[in-house]
Amino acid sequence: MKAGYEAVIGLEVHVQLRTRSKMFCACQNLTGAPPNSLTCPVCLGLPGALPALNAEAVRMALGLGLAVEAEIRPCSAFYRKQYFYPDLPKGYQITQGPVALVENGHLDIPGDPRVRGAEAPVRIRIERAHLEEDAGKSHHDLDGGASHVDLNRAGVPLLEVVGAPDLRSAAEASDYLKTLHRLVVGLGICDGNLEEGSFRCDANVSVRPIGSVGFGTRVEVKNLNSFRFVRQALEYELARQTTLLERGASVQMETRGWDAAAGETRTQRTKEAAMDYRYFPEPDLPLLTIEPAEIEAARAALPELPEQRIRRWREAYGLGLDEAQTLAQSPAFAAYFEAVASLAGSGRGAAAWMLGEVSRTLNECGAPIEAFPVTPEALAGLVRLVEARTLGFGAAKDQVFPALLAGEGTADAIVAARGLAQVSDRGAIEGLVARVLEANPGPVAQIRGGKESLKGFLVGQVLKAGQGRLDARLVNEVLGEALAKP
Ligand code: ADP
Ligand code: MG
Ligand code: ZN
């Protein structure tokens, strides 16, 4: 950000809810089914078909509302938002109106010290979260010039989470988005797949001279289907707008799209082309009323939230923020880590393996932790051996871990069968050190004369004599002691 200017950013996120059925009909809410196979008169918008609200979607919205400490409206309504597009079969979208089920919540994020002046958490307000239905999907690139419409997604429940313009840098926007993403995945209400559009973000962005009270004219950037794109698009847009203001020109209120290939935002539609949606209350749906007992039931059903988990792990295991955040990426990953940590009796050891070899293996296969063939018990067996220094890290990584993956038995059995147990018997190491010192009188004299750098050579000789199975830390220690003696 150029000196003298400040960024003002507010994100609108569409969270696709993982309900079993669609928002207003009994069709399955699934991706990957044959086109138009998950449809019925309601989601096709046939005349006379009546919508009925999905109670599971309401419970999920309540869960999010409580997790962000928002107010839950005891009564809210649905509206018709009219526009014409081929993938919108009814000619209108059913969405919540001026009052939303969830209002005035917040998420706390670390805050960007470069713009806040200090390292301190900042509270980003959530203006509202409202329920609405998704549209179908248009395909313009399937065959030649023809366009195709798939209505499987039409009527799928969305929770639109509208953040206040409280974010002050692209980095903060990205942190907020990741925190919200962890939350909805952690609550189990969204699969969190950005690429497939289960978690869609529109970024509203403006700049203003530092010290001014009002906001500048905002631009809405669409089409941001990765955390990286959000950051890049915002940085590009902040630079573009600042340059305009510095030149004395003004920012146009418009919608822009992120062109990832070109690395720039492009005008999609200007304010003049803005539509009048002619909102009016949906006459086919009753008011959505929430009883206090429903709120209490939703509160009781809340799991431990990702941010609470992250705090607990950092305190209990001394993990870094990034490490803990990565471990909290999904409930299944978190549960696996937690099981290994407690079975192995080492949070740090478990974290190192989860963030290292386990993640690397999953990434290579593009598989989720649910498909990982090694049980937490089996991995904990390996972690225990390494932590106890019975097994060297190199042998653990290169031999035992692949053998565990291949199903060759427990870590203990693999180590025994392959003779990999590390020698941490001080007496045995002292013997080897004595032999190596005797065989290398030259280097020993030089080291004693002050040439410390030669010590590594002797350590190497001892490790070699131990056929790579010696505890390197112990070798260093014993060698140091032996050299210190005259
Ligand atoms: P709309 O419904 O037309 O998108 P809203 O007033 O509901 O308009 O605002 C939507 C989003 O725009 C919110 O996330 C809000 O934080 C953000 N926003 C509003 N004003 C600004 C501004 N001047 N700069 C950046 N973001 C803004
Ligand atoms: Mg908007
Ligand atoms: Zn349907």
Side-chain angles (χ1 to χ4, degrees):
M1 203 64 191
K2 287 218 181 80
Y5 288 92
E6 179 176 54
V8 174
I9 301 165
L11 303 185
E12 295 170 275
V13 180
H14 285 88
V15 178
Q16 206 179 75
L17 298 177
R18 279 177 63 191
T19 52
R20 272 158 298 174
S21 57
K22 292 189 184 179
M23 184 74 139
F24 300 114
C25 62
C27 290
Q28 278 189 85
N29 173 9
L30 268 186
T31 49
N36 298 304
S37 61
L38 307 173
T39 56
C40 75
V42 174
C43 55
L44 289 176
L46 299 187
L50 286 174
L53 183 59
N54 183 332
E56 197 184 12
V58 175
R59 278 196 296 275
M60 289 180 170
L62 285 179
L64 177 103
L66 294 171
V68 299
E69 299 180 325
E71 293 162 28
I72 305 297
R73 293 277 152 215
C75 181
S76 54
F78 287 95
Y79 282 69
R80 291 185 179 182
K81 178 179 178 180
Q82 338 265 338
Y83 64 93
F84 177 76
Y85 205 74
D87 60 22
L88 187 72
K90 294 194 290 290
Y92 59 84
Q93 175 197 30
I94 302 178
T95 177
Q96 291 213 282
V99 172
L101 175 60
V102 172
E103 290 181 353
N104 302 323
H106 61 84
L107 273 185
D108 293 334
I109 61 167
D112 185 345
R114 282 166 303 182
V115 293
R116 304 281 177 180
E119 303 251 2
V122 289
R123 178 153 287 192
I124 307 303
R125 290 168 299 153
I126 289 177
E127 291 174 352
R128 52 149 56 205
H130 60 264
L131 285 165
E132 60 186 31
E133 59 176 339
D134 210 344
K137 214 175 152 97
S138 302
H139 295 274
H140 305 295
D141 47 10
L142 289 181
D143 72 90
S147 284
H148 296 256
V149 177
D150 178 5
L151 294 175
N152 283 352
R153 210 182 60 183
V156 161
L158 298 177
L159 185 62
E160 178 171 350
V161 182
V162 182
D166 292 346
L167 301 159
R168 293 291 172 269
S169 73
E172 281 192 356
S174 158
D175 268 347
Y176 165 84
L177 200 62
K178 285 179 179 167
T179 307
L180 181 60
H181 184 263
R182 266 196 304 278
L183 177 60
V184 297
V185 172
L187 289 171
I189 66 175
C190 178
D191 71 21
N193 193 325
L194 271 79
E195 251 169 77
E196 284 177 14
S198 306
F199 186 87
R200 307 198 276 270
C201 172
D202 298 335
N204 294 273
V205 48
S206 63
V207 296
R208 64 178 174 185
I210 286 178
S212 64
V213 186
F215 288 152
T217 306
R218 80 177 142 116
V219 162
E220 183 165 355
V221 187
K222 298 215 176 252
N223 207 10
L224 301 169
N225 62 1
S226 82
F227 293 115
R228 195 162 50 94
F229 290 166
V230 169
R231 212 176 153 138
Q232 289 174 342
L234 283 171
E235 263 153 18
Y236 177 90
E237 194 52 32
L238 290 170
R240 187 187 71 83
Q241 293 184 17
T242 317
T243 306
L244 280 173
L245 296 187
E246 276 187 329
R247 264 203 236 121
S250 60
V251 174
Q252 292 301 308
M253 171 114 167
E254 61 182 351
T255 302
R256 297 174 75 91
W258 171 245
D259 182 336
E264 60 186 35
T265 63
R266 295 239 179 92
T267 300
Q268 280 184 342
R269 62 185 135 85
T270 54
K271 199 187 171 202
E272 292 71 47
M275 274 184 280
D276 171 9
Y277 294 117
R278 299 178 296 123
Y279 279 91
F280 69 82
E282 166 61 64
D284 289 340
L285 284 167
L287 292 175
L288 170 56
T289 54
I290 306 291
E291 301 296 331
E294 290 174 79
I295 297 179
E296 284 330 301
R299 201 188 300 280
L302 282 183
E304 181 184 29
L305 302 178
E307 303 315 298
Q308 296 170 334
R309 211 171 256 161
I310 288 167
R311 212 172 310 129
R312 180 167 59 79
W313 289 343
R314 293 194 65 192
E315 281 164 16
Y317 305 139
L319 302 179
L321 179 61
D322 279 358
E323 293 174 318
Q325 285 175 340
T326 308
L327 292 167
Q329 60 187 261
S330 77
F333 202 85
Y336 191 109
F337 161 66
E338 199 116 55
V340 178
S342 82
L343 290 164
S346 168
R348 282 224 62 87
W353 283 89
M354 294 300 291
L355 298 169
E357 291 309 289
V358 174
S359 293
R360 194 183 54 71
T361 308
L362 294 174
N363 288 341
E364 261 171 24
C365 323
I369 188 77
E370 287 90 334
F372 193 58
V374 180
T375 63
E377 288 76 13
L379 186 65
L382 175 62
V383 175
R384 250 193 328 263
L385 291 177
V386 176
E387 291 300 304
R389 296 210 260 139
T390 306
L391 179 63
F393 180 71
K397 181 163 119 357
D398 300 334
Q399 299 208 43
V400 185
F401 184 75
L404 275 183
L405 276 178
E408 288 177 26
T410 65
D412 286 311
I414 295 162
V415 168
R418 301 190 181 192
L420 295 172
Q422 181 160 269
V423 178
S424 35
D425 165 4
R426 189 173 256 275
I429 291 177
E430 278 169 356
L432 286 171
V433 165
R435 254 175 41 206
V436 167
L437 293 192
E438 228 179 86
N440 295 279
V444 169
Q446 281 180 286
I447 294 170
R448 286 186 171 142
K451 197 147 188 246
E452 282 286 315
S453 59
L454 270 179
K455 219 180 132 185
F457 163 74
L458 291 185
V459 171
Q461 294 299 304
V462 177
L463 291 177
K464 204 165 134 200
Q467 286 152 343
R469 286 174 42 213
L470 302 186
D471 180 342
R473 256 166 56 187
L474 200 52
V475 168
N476 255 300
E477 204 179 296
V478 171
L479 188 75
E481 285 166 11
L483 285 168
K485 281 185 215 149

